[in-house]
Amino acid sequence: MAELRITINGASYKALDGMTILDVCRREGIHIPTLCNHPDLQTRGICRICVVDVKGSKTLQAACSTPVEAGMVISTTTDRVRKSRKTIVELLLANHYTDCTVCPKNLNCELQSLANEFGLTDLRWKERRERTIPQDDSSPVFIRDNNKCVLCQRCVRACDEMQGVYAVANLFKGDSMIVGSAFNKPIGEVVCINCGQCVAHCPTGALSEKYCIEDIWKAIDDPKKVVVVQTAPAIRAALGEEFGYPAGTRVTGKMASALRTMGFDYVFDTQFAADLTIMEEGYELLGRLRSALTGGEAPALPMTTSCSPGWIKFQEHFFPELLPNVSTCKSPQQMFGAVVKSFWAGKMGIDPENIVCVSVMPCTAKKFESIRPEMARNGRPDVDYVLTTRELAVMIKQAGIDLHDMKNSTFDNPLGESTGAATIFAASGGVMEAALRTAYEVVTGREVPFKNLDISPVRGMDGVREASIKINGAQKDWSFLEGVELKVLVAHGTANAKKVMNAVREGTMAAHFIEIMTCPGGCLGGGGQPLPGTPEIRLARAKAIYEEDADSPLRKSHENPSVKKLYEDFLGAPNSHLAHELLHTHYTARGQY
Amino acid sequence: MARKIDVVFSDFQPGSALRAALGMTPTSVIELVTKSKLRGRGGAGFPTGLKWDAARSHRSDDKFIICNADEGEPGTFKDKNILEKQTAKVIEGMAIGAYAIGASKGFIYLRGEYKYLVKDLMKKIEELKSQNLIGKDICREKGFCFDVDIKLGSGSYVCGEETALIESLESKRGEPRNKPPYPAEAGYLGQPTVVNNVETLSFIPHILLNGAEWFQQFGTEKSTGSKLFSVSGDCRKPGIYEFEFGITIRELLKEIDADPDTKAVQIGGASGFCACSDDFDKPICFEGIPTGGSIIVFNKSRSMFMVLKNFVEFFQEESCGQCVPCREGCSRMLEGIEKFEQGRGSSKTINDLLELSTTMSLASKCGFGQSVPNSFRTIASKFKDEILSAGGGEVWRS
C-alpha cells in the first residue's frame, strides 16, 4: 500500500492508501465520536456523528467511511463540525425513549455518553419520546425495545456478517423504519440462535438479556433450597471489567469469594464438567474413528463439537441433515447440572428437588439451552437459572460487594476441581486443544508433541484454522490409528461455521474433528460478556485464559482427580450406559421455515 | 433571449449515431462527449464525459451502463415521455455509452409506476435486436455485444440516487452507499458502472451525429445544450417543454402562459428551490438555479405553508431511513412546521429549523438528505409571514 501524507488540524500525518480518516485519527489519538461504527463490523457510515471537514468539499464527510487521499486537509473541530455533531446527538435523543436511570444500559450506554460528551442541557426538537412501540419479549433470552433503538444497524450487521443468521433487518422506510424480522414477525417466531451478539453490539438499551436475578435471590433466601453455582471458564477473565479492572485481569479467586459472600451454598466450577466433557467427547471421537477405520458401521465424520448452544441451534436450522455429525455430548453447563442433581445429590444426601443449580455463563444462548426439554430428567431441569457475566456483576453490586475488596478463595470440591485444559474452553480452539491433549495421550501413552502442551496451531483469532497431528506409536487398543494423520479444524462465528459446514455437506472437508464456537474468539467473546467487546479486549481475555492454563498444576482433563473419581465411583467409564443417560443428548432438526 | 428548441423529440434514424460511434475509437467518443460539456440531466449535473471516462479507466470484463428511469421527483414526467416516444434513441445512447466504456450489459431501471411501459419497451428491444442494433456483433462490428434488460423499481424515491438504484438492482434494500467508491469504479455487482438519466442518454446520439460544437451553441457557458421541463401548476399551458439552459424564470413563465398573479415557482421539485418574484430574472442553469426539470407554478391563492408542509411530508415518508440527519431531521422538520399550524410556532422555531437544515445539508449521507432543506430554506425565507401566520391567527413575532 502506498504511503501518503494528510493534514489533520494543521499537523501533517503519514497514512496508507486504503485507510479511512477515522483509522488515521484513531492511530494518532485524535478523538472522533462514533456510534454506528464497530471494529467487528463492516462500515455503514449512517449515524454521521463522526463527520469532519475536508477542505474543498461542500459537505462534511463521515470519517469512518471516507478513505484518505494524498494531500487531504482535514479539520475535526470547525464550527460546522461541532454544530452538526451536536445536532445529530439531539436528533437521536429526540427519538429515544429516555428512561436512563432504570435502563439496563445505564452508565454503559453509548448514546448517554455522547449526550454527556456534547454537554446537552435541553432537547430542542421534542419534549420527550414516549414508549410508542411494544417491547418484543418473544425471544427466550433477550428483549428488544425499539423505543430505544438508534437504528445504527450494529445488531443487523452482527447477525448477518458475523453469524450468517440474518434474523433481523431494516423494515419500512423513512420515519417508520425499525429493526425487526421478516414480515415484522416477533423475533421468537423466526430463525434466531439466541447467541446474543446483537445484544453485545447494541450501543443502547434497545437490546438486553432477560434477567433472572430476582429468581436467584429468592432461591438463595429460601432456607429449604440448596443453591449451587457453577461459573464458566470465560467469566474469570472478564468479570473484572465490570468493576473497572483492565481487560484480561484474572479474578477467579475474588469471584469465588464474592459468590460465597452472596449466599450461594456451594461454589463450583463449570470447568469440572469441561474436563468431563473432554473424556466423553474424546472417547466418542475415538469410537467414531474406530468404526470408520476398522470397517464397522460408517459413522458420521467429521465430528463437530457440541459445547456452544448457539452453534447447536444454528446447525438445527441450517444443516439439519448434518446433525449426526454433532457430538452427542451435552455441553459442560448441562453435564454439570446433570451430575449435581444425580451423583452429587446422592453423595450429599440432598433431595434433587431442593437443589437449585445456577450457572454463570458468558452467553445468552445458554439460557435457552437450559430450558430445552431434553436437558431435564424426570421433569427437573439440569440447570435452573442461567446468569450472564453482566447479570452476575449486577448481583454482586446489589449485594453491596466490591470485587476489589474480595480475598482470593478456591472453589468447593469435588465439583470445583479442574485442569488448565478446562480453562481454555473459554477461547476458540480451546476445546480442540484440550481434546487433543487427552486423545493423543490415551492413544499413544505419550504427551502431545507440542512444547509445553501448547497446541499453538489451533490458537488465535483467524476465523477458520486447520491443523493436523500424526499418530505414531499407537498403543495396542488403538493400533488402527497408527500412522493416521488426525486432521482438525477450528472455526468461530457461525458465518464461518456456515462455510465449514457447506464444505462438509459437499464432501470436500478433510478434517476428522471440528470445533465450532458461536461467538468471536469463542466464549470469551460471548453475547453475555461485559461491554464493550472489541477484538482488542478479546485478545486480552484470551491471554489471561492461556496464562491461567499455563499456571495450572494439572493441564490435561484425564488427570483431573475428581473426574477420575467420578468414573470410579459412579459412571464407570467414558461413554458408559449411565454416562450416556446423564451426559449425552439428541438434537432437533428445525429447518429454516 | 432563450429559445424553445426541439432536440430530444426530433426525428432520428436508429443506428445512424451508433454507426458514427463505431467509426471512432471509444476514447474519441468520450472525448467528443466531454467536449460537448453535456451534464447529467437528472439534477446533479455531473459531466457525462467525465463519468464515462472514469468507468473506462477502471479495468474489468464486466462493466454496466444503467439508464436511470426512476423518475420520482414530484412534478416531473418528462422521462416517461422520452421513453415512450424515443425508445430507440435512449437505447442507442446506452449502446454508444457501452461502446465507449467497454460494457456489454445495460439495464433500464424503470420506476415501478411506469410498469405499463414494459411491454412496449421489450418490443422495441426485440426490434432493435432484429436490426442488429443491440445484441451480438452489433452493426457487424465483431466482438461488440450489448444487451439491455429492464428492471422495475418498487416505489422508493431514493432509488433515483444512483448508488441506491444499484443496491435495488442487486435486489437489496434501496439505500445509498458510501462514496467513494463511486459507481464508475465499483457499481453494480462491484463492477465499473455508469448510471445516466434517460434525458442525458437521449442527447448522446445527437451529439454523435452533429458534434460537440453544435451542442455547445445552445445553453450557457457551464450549462450547454437544452433541457426538458415538466411544467405543472397555475398556468394555461402545462406540459413538457424543451428550452435552452439559461432561460430566465420570467421567460419561461411567459412561454407556459403562467397566471399573471404567479407568486412562486418551485424549480427542481420538492428537493429544489422556491423562487419568488424577486428571482424571476434569474436564469435556470447549473450556474443559476439548477433543476432536474420539474417546474411547479403557484398563484396568489396558494398557501406556501401548505406547499412546504406537503413537501416535508413527502420527504419524511421517502427518506430511506438509514442516516440520522435525514431520517430524524425530516421528522423533526415536519413537527416544527406543524407547530405553526397549531399556532405554536415562532421566529425561534424557524431559526431552530434553519440550524437543523444546515446539519441536514452538511452531514446527510446522500444527495437526498442534503437537498431536503432546500425547499424549507427558500420558502421559509421568502414567505416567512405565510409560515408564521399558518395557524390562522396573528403573525407571531417573538
Side-chain angles (χ1 to χ4, degrees):
Chain A
M1 269 189 283
E3 197 176 283
L4 46 89
R5 291 202 81 86
I6 60 171
T7 304
I8 307 173
N9 299 338
S12 176
Y13 297 97
K14 262 191 229 162
L16 294 174
D17 197 22
M19 288 176 102
T20 64
I21 296 173
L22 182 64
D23 291 334
V24 181
C25 288
R26 287 246 165 100
R27 189 195 64 199
E28 298 299 334
I30 300 163
H31 176 67
I32 306 273
T34 57
L35 183 64
C36 72
N37 185 268
H38 193 287
D40 287 337
L41 307 171
Q42 283 176 33
T43 300
R44 283 298 313 264
I46 51 176
C47 74
R48 316 302 289 176
I49 194 73
C50 68
V51 286
V52 295
D53 234 325
V54 176
K55 197 174 171 188
S57 176
K58 212 170 68 187
T59 57
L60 300 174
Q61 304 299 312
C64 69
S65 63
T66 307
V68 291
E69 282 168 30
M72 213 176 218
V73 178
I74 297 153
S75 173
T76 68
T77 58
T78 59
D79 171 63
R80 53 187 211 161
V81 167
R82 284 195 322 270
K83 279 189 180 150
S84 292
R85 288 180 182 171
K86 182 163 173 264
T87 302
I88 287 167
V89 179
E90 286 179 278
L91 286 173
L92 285 167
L93 285 168
N95 201 11
H96 178 78
Y97 177 61
T98 309
D99 64 349
C100 300
T101 50
V102 291
C103 177
K105 283 287 185 65
N106 191 20
L107 299 184
N108 197 9
C109 167
E110 294 178 38
L111 182 59
Q112 204 179 33
S113 304
L114 283 172
N116 178 47
E117 182 177 331
F118 285 89
L120 296 189
T121 50
D122 67 345
L123 293 179
R124 262 186 298 179
W125 308 114
K126 204 171 187 179
E127 289 76 20
R128 190 182 161 88
R129 150 129 197 194
E130 296 303 324
R131 184 172 252 149
T132 50
I133 308 171
Q135 291 183 58
D136 180 359
D137 61 358
S138 62
S139 159
V141 304
F142 64 83
I143 297 167
R144 173 178 285 282
D145 186 351
N146 270 341
N147 302 287
K148 296 179 184 174
C149 175
V150 290
L151 294 167
C152 66
Q153 299 178 27
R154 276 161 48 167
C155 58
V156 174
R157 283 175 281 162
C159 193
D160 177 26
E161 295 167 16
M162 300 170 69
Q163 304 301 58
V165 176
Y166 210 23
V168 284
N170 300 332
L171 308 182
F172 314 114
K173 64 179 169 28
D175 74 320
S176 309
M177 182 158 127
I178 52 166
V179 172
S181 301
F183 309 111
N184 205 11
K185 282 191 169 191
I187 186 77
E189 292 177 24
V190 303
V191 173
C192 166
I193 62 170
N194 303 313
C195 68
Q197 284 302 325
C198 56
V199 179
H201 285 84
C202 180
T204 70
L207 287 164
S208 55
E209 66 268 48
K210 283 187 170 169
Y211 279 10
C212 56
I213 291 173
E214 287 312 313
D215 297 313
I216 294 166
W217 283 131
K218 212 170 133 194
I220 287 176
D221 292 340
D222 185 342
K224 286 201 297 292
K225 299 291 183 194
V226 177
V227 188
V228 304
V229 62
Q230 53 162 324
T231 59
I235 316 299
R236 62 209 69 194
L239 178 67
E241 292 164 34
E242 293 280 351
F243 296 87
Y245 286 99
T249 307
R250 289 144 64 187
V251 293
T252 320
K254 287 176 182 292
M255 175 179 71
S257 298
L259 291 166
R260 218 165 263 125
T261 310
M262 285 158 71
F264 285 103
D265 296 307
Y266 292 90
V267 179
F268 289 142
D269 196 353
T270 311
Q271 289 192 180
F272 167 84
D275 281 329
L276 185 60
T277 302
I278 288 301
M279 299 306 291
E280 290 296 320
E281 200 162 323
Y283 275 90
E284 182 186 359
L285 174 66
L286 293 173
R288 290 195 193 204
L289 291 172
R290 184 192 294 276
S291 295
L293 297 171
T294 60
E297 192 186 331
L301 281 174
M303 187 174 94
T304 69
T305 55
S306 57
C307 311
S308 183
W311 148 244
I312 292 299
K313 194 149 181 277
F314 183 88
Q315 178 88 337
E316 290 175 332
H317 284 299
F318 293 96
F319 297 92
E321 74 280 16
L322 295 178
L323 283 171
N325 293 66
V326 183
S327 161
T328 59
C329 288
K330 286 182 183 174
S331 71
Q333 158 174 284
Q334 296 303 138
M335 282 200 186
F336 183 91
V339 169
V340 159
K341 292 196 178 177
S342 60
F343 166 74
W344 186 76
K347 184 178 144 81
M348 301 296 286
I350 305 171
D351 180 357
E353 199 59 47
N354 287 329
I355 297 176
V356 176
C357 181
V358 175
S359 59
V360 184
M361 294 286 141
C363 181
T364 52
K366 289 279 172 195
K367 286 177 183 272
F368 173 74
E369 184 184 50
S370 74
I371 57 169
R372 291 173 80 113
E374 61 271 27
M375 297 299 173
R377 214 167 157 239
N378 306 326
R380 242 189 334 261
D382 296 337
V383 173
D384 296 281
Y385 299 109
V386 179
L387 289 167
T388 62
T389 318
R390 298 188 290 264
E391 282 174 276
L392 174 62
V394 170
M395 286 187 78
I396 293 174
K397 288 171 189 168
Q398 284 179 343
I401 298 168
D402 185 341
L403 204 64
H404 295 86
D405 300 336
M406 292 286 109
K407 297 215 161 36
N408 286 330
S409 70
T410 55
F411 295 106
D412 293 320
N413 277 329
L415 306 185
E417 185 160 39
S418 71
T419 70
T423 307
I424 58 175
F425 266 57
S428 163
V431 175
M432 181 58 70
E433 182 165 348
L436 290 177
R437 285 182 194 171
T438 288
Y440 189 89
E441 198 163 322
V442 165
V443 171
T444 65
R446 288 174 284 112
E447 286 191 339
V448 280
F450 288 90
K451 198 181 166 203
N452 299 328
L453 297 174
D454 294 347
I455 309 181
S456 39
V458 298
R459 296 186 181 183
M461 291 294 177
D462 290 343
V464 179
R465 308 186 291 281
E466 289 174 86
S468 67
I469 181 166
K470 192 157 184 186
I471 297 175
N472 287 319
Q475 302 193 94
K476 206 172 110 228
D477 283 355
W478 309 99
S479 54
F480 65 91
L481 284 169
E482 180 60 28
V484 168
E485 193 173 6
L486 187 66
K487 291 186 176 134
V488 299
L489 184 145
V490 170
H492 57 126
T494 45
N496 289 320
K498 194 181 254 181
K499 291 177 211 155
V500 170
M501 295 318 287
N502 274 328
V504 173
R505 184 189 266 163
E506 287 155 16
T508 56
M509 171 57 62
H512 299 100
F513 187 32
I514 298 174
E515 177 205 290
I516 291 180
M517 291 295 155
T518 308
C519 293
C523 304
L524 54 83
Q529 289 282 62
L531 301 176
T534 63
E536 218 170 279
I537 289 171
R538 291 194 292 271
L539 276 175
R541 291 176 189 161
K543 189 166 170 275
I545 288 292
Y546 286 114
E547 280 168 6
E548 182 120 334
D549 167 40
D551 290 350
S552 300
L554 296 174
R555 296 184 60 208
K556 294 176 277 192
S557 295
H558 56 279
E559 289 180 351
N560 182 327
S562 296
V563 168
K564 281 202 247 183
K565 194 136 181 16
L566 179 69
Y567 280 111
E568 280 164 26
D569 295 351
F570 186 65
L571 292 171
N575 293 196
S576 70
H577 181 74
L578 185 57
H580 260 283
E581 188 186 324
L582 290 171
L583 308 180
H584 290 250
T585 186
H586 59 271
Y587 305 106
T588 310
R590 296 175 197 267
Q592 289 181 55
Y593 306 101
Chain B
M1 182 70 191
R3 286 177 300 162
K4 205 173 159 182
I5 50 178
D6 184 17
V7 176
V8 174
F9 292 103
S10 65
D11 287 342
F12 164 72
Q13 179 59 46
S16 54
L18 187 54
R19 278 187 202 97
L22 292 174
M24 304 160 69
T25 63
T27 323
S28 42
V29 171
I30 294 175
E31 274 167 13
L32 176 67
V33 173
T34 307
K35 208 173 148 204
S36 76
K37 297 193 199 164
L38 173 66
R39 294 171 70 163
R41 260 44 176 175
F46 192 82
T48 306
L50 275 185
K51 217 182 220 186
W52 286 14
D53 193 42
R56 167 136 205 101
S57 70
H58 291 284
R59 277 160 195 257
S60 167
D61 293 336
D62 286 305
K63 295 186 186 180
F64 300 93
I65 183 158
I66 297 167
C67 168
N68 184 349
D70 191 43
E71 185 174 42
E73 188 62 51
T76 111
F77 38 84
K78 49 145 187 119
D79 290 342
K80 180 184 69 174
N81 257 47
I82 304 174
L83 274 177
E84 266 179 317
K85 296 182 176 141
Q86 296 294 338
T87 317
K89 199 183 276 184
V90 175
I91 294 175
E92 190 146 332
M94 290 175 75
I96 294 166
Y99 173 70
I101 67 166
S104 56
K105 178 87 194 170
F107 295 100
I108 299 173
Y109 185 89
L110 191 64
R111 177 180 174 161
E113 290 86 339
Y114 292 172
K115 195 178 170 184
Y116 69 95
L117 290 177
V118 171
K119 212 174 136 191
D120 286 347
L121 287 174
M122 291 301 285
K123 212 171 115 191
K124 196 73 194 176
I125 289 171
E126 286 310 313
E127 197 182 308
L128 293 170
K129 218 176 253 177
S130 69
Q131 294 165 1
N132 189 224
L133 294 176
I134 52 175
K136 270 196 179 145
D137 301 331
I138 296 169
C139 299
R140 286 190 286 282
E141 174 86 9
K142 202 95 186 111
F144 175 47
C145 304
F146 179 63
D147 275 313
V148 179
D149 227 337
I150 300 169
K151 295 271 182 172
L152 278 173
S154 304
S156 160
Y157 171 82
V158 83
C159 285
E161 196 277 345
E162 58 182 6
T163 59
L165 183 155
I166 289 168
E167 287 281 296
S168 169
L169 207 57
E170 291 180 0
S171 305
K172 296 178 191 150
R173 221 180 122 85
E175 290 178 346
R177 295 176 176 175
N178 289 309
K179 290 184 280 189
Y182 290 90
E185 182 186 349
Y188 180 62
L189 304 178
Q191 301 301 324
T193 303
V194 159
V195 183
N196 286 143
N197 175 261
V198 175
E199 184 185 336
T200 313
L201 289 166
S202 72
F203 282 111
I204 296 290
H206 293 287
I207 292 171
L208 261 292
L209 289 170
N210 302 314
E213 283 79 13
W214 165 82
F215 189 74
Q216 282 189 53
Q217 67 176 309
F218 309 113
T220 67
E221 169 72 22
K222 287 180 178 162
S223 312
T224 56
S226 50
K227 174 84 195 83
L228 288 195
F229 293 89
S230 310
V231 177
S232 62
D234 298 318
C235 64
R236 252 12 88 222
K237 298 183 200 160
I240 296 169
Y241 290 83
E242 184 170 350
F243 295 118
E244 279 185 70
F245 265 127
I247 185 171
T248 65
I249 298 169
R250 198 179 301 284
E251 286 165 343
L252 185 141
L253 291 174
K254 193 172 166 225
E255 293 281 350
I256 65 176
D257 204 357
D259 286 9
D261 62 346
T262 296
K263 89 172 158 188
V265 183
Q266 182 72 20
I267 297 168
S271 65
F273 301 85
C274 181
C276 63
S277 55
D278 290 351
D279 304 314
F280 286 177
D281 288 317
K282 289 182 181 164
I284 301 174
C285 56
F286 295 110
E287 57 268 53
I289 301 176
T291 178
S294 166
I295 303 284
I296 309 172
V297 184
F298 301 107
N299 68 22
K300 284 218 160 63
S301 73
R302 310 291 171 183
S303 153
M304 292 315 287
F305 173 80
M306 291 311 290
V307 167
L308 175 60
K309 191 181 160 198
N310 178 277
F311 287 160
V312 179
E313 277 172 343
F314 172 79
F315 287 129
Q316 189 212 25
E317 193 177 315
E318 287 299 337
S319 165
C320 80
Q322 66 167 329
C323 87
V324 176
C326 176
R327 179 188 69 238
E328 303 298 336
C330 286
S331 293
R332 301 293 84 83
M333 186 172 276
L334 182 60
E335 256 171 33
I337 289 167
E338 281 168 346
K339 272 191 186 172
F340 293 104
E341 222 171 7
Q342 299 150 359
R344 297 191 299 130
S346 64
S347 289
K348 182 186 178 303
T349 316
I350 291 194
N351 288 339
D352 283 349
L353 291 177
L354 282 171
E355 202 167 307
L356 174 63
S357 297
T358 306
T359 296
M360 291 175 76
S361 297
L362 287 175
S364 291
K365 181 168 171 174
C366 81
F368 176 104
Q370 289 163 12
S371 62
V372 163
N374 290 344
S375 51
F376 173 78
R377 223 180 269 127
T378 45
I379 294 175
S381 63
K382 290 166 188 172
F383 300 95
K384 193 170 177 181
D385 282 358
E386 280 197 46
I387 307 299
L388 288 171
S389 61
E394 291 272 304
V395 171
W396 269 73
R397 289 190 196 282
S398 69

